[in-house]
Amino acid sequence: MKLSILDQAPISTGQTAKDALYNAMELARAGESFGYTRYWIAEHHDFPGLASSAPEVMLGFIGAHTSTIRIGSGAVLLPHYKPYKVAEVFNLLSVLFPGRIDLGIGRAPGGSAEATTALSGQFLQKVYKMPELVEELLHFLYHDFPEENIFSRVKAAPVPADPPHAWLLGTSGKSAVLAARYGMSYAFGQFMSEQDGAAILKQYEQAFTPRKPGDAPQMLLTVSAVCAETAEKAEEVAWSSLIWQLQAEKGGQASVPSIEEAKSYPLTGKDKEKLAKMKQNMVIGNPQQVRAAFTKLQEKYGTDELMIFTIAHSFEDRIASYRYIAEEVLG
């Protein structure tokens, strides 16, 4: 089993955005030392409690402080941007950090309607054109436009010897089919989907069309997980994340609350039902429990790579969670 990291650069109470971004770099460094395969950082706009609005900028910073772990975007939200500019940026990163860059793309807005309008102004129209945007981006990355195309002589310079590896991120059959259609790797966000992920990944495998000879379907599953030395400690650490998500849904506190703040948060009966449902989509426990849960997920979804998404108030607890999992699963 391969393990990877998805980071949103969360801001905890008492922290600044700079603290959160430096923690992101330290998490990537820690993941590299623990044996994780890749580290991806997300894109959010005007989103309280999350510091990363420009993963492409953070990847330059993180790449300069790591040496072997693959680094990438989880994801660049393509409807906001021109494919050519995205290809230029990630080609440049691939020149700086050869053989290490993943370009994960998605179609979500990543923020409020107002922020979306400020970014592009035509988001919905671009979402409808997502297949065309993906196709254009791939042509720029691999410099294989048909000769009659207006862009056939345009290069997304600098051109790396090893182009970035393109992934499509999604939570639905629609995204899986799109990834398969263009021969892309596919990351399924199990932690934020209520759909039948196993069926969706099977659909991706069956529909996969190689872009070039030798290409094969590649997929990973993104899972929300919190691990600690004991199950009781893991539940305590996870509570901050759960209450934070609950507050965010209500338009409340922006930063991840401390364990003490989370414990003192007053809950209604409806809140308790919502939290119980949220926990069903998480893996929480001691190292042995987490490994057992991961093994079941691996068997159910048929993928050998799990990407772990962990939110905690204490950065030390986050690092410890990733370390415990790596020691138990990777050995």
Side-chain angles (χ1 to χ4, degrees), residues 103-324:
L103 168 51
I105 59 175
R107 73 172 90 222
S112 67
E114 293 81 4
T116 298
T117 300
L119 275 165
S120 58
Q122 298 179 326
F123 181 78
L124 287 179
Q125 296 93 315
K126 292 291 186 67
V127 167
Y128 295 138
K129 295 181 179 179
M130 186 72 173
E132 291 91 336
L133 294 174
V134 170
E135 183 176 20
E136 187 174 305
L137 173 62
L138 294 174
H139 280 314
F140 278 125
L141 290 177
Y142 304 121
H143 197 56
D144 59 2
F145 278 103
E147 190 170 336
E148 66 274 12
N149 190 284
I150 188 175
F151 299 134
S152 63
R153 300 183 185 278
V154 179
K155 292 183 179 180
V159 178
D162 188 357
H165 188 97
W167 290 76
L168 185 64
L169 282 66
T171 58
S172 69
K174 188 174 183 179
S175 58
V177 168
L178 184 59
R181 174 181 170 184
Y182 291 114
M184 301 175 69
S185 296
Y186 182 60
F188 180 74
Q190 184 268 351
F191 74 102
M192 57 181 181
S193 176
E194 296 182 357
Q195 298 196 40
D196 185 351
I200 289 171
L201 289 177
K202 180 61 68 177
Q203 185 180 20
Y204 162 73
E205 281 192 292
Q206 293 174 343
F208 185 83
T209 303
R211 187 173 182 85
K212 60 182 185 297
D215 284 354
Q218 181 180 1
M219 54 194 183
L220 62 79
L221 185 71
T222 307
V223 181
S224 176
V226 175
C227 185
E229 186 175 5
T230 66
E232 294 74 20
K233 174 65 174 177
E235 291 280 352
E236 191 175 61
V237 171
W239 197 244
S240 291
S241 172
L242 289 162
I243 295 299
W244 178 57
Q245 293 176 63
L246 187 66
Q247 290 175 314
E249 287 187 11
K250 295 180 176 182
Q253 180 169 321
S255 52
V256 182
S258 68
I259 292 173
E260 292 72 24
E261 289 172 322
K263 285 181 176 179
S264 65
Y265 185 78
L267 297 173
T268 65
K270 192 173 182 179
D271 289 339
K272 292 175 182 178
E273 290 178 9
K274 185 177 286 289
L275 288 168
K277 189 174 182 179
M278 289 162 61
K279 285 183 69 175
Q280 290 176 2
N281 220 21
M282 295 178 68
V283 175
I284 304 171
N286 63 37
Q288 295 75 33
Q289 290 170 325
V290 170
R291 181 183 61 184
F294 280 7
T295 299
K296 288 181 180 179
L297 287 170
Q298 184 181 31
E299 293 170 352
K300 177 181 178 181
Y301 289 91
T303 177
D304 70 346
E305 183 171 352
L306 297 182
M307 177 168 274
I308 303 167
F309 167 67
T310 301
I311 297 286
H313 174 268
S314 162
F315 183 61
E316 289 72 22
D317 286 338
R318 287 182 76 208
I319 291 288
S321 180
Y322 283 108
R323 185 183 70 249
Y324 280 124

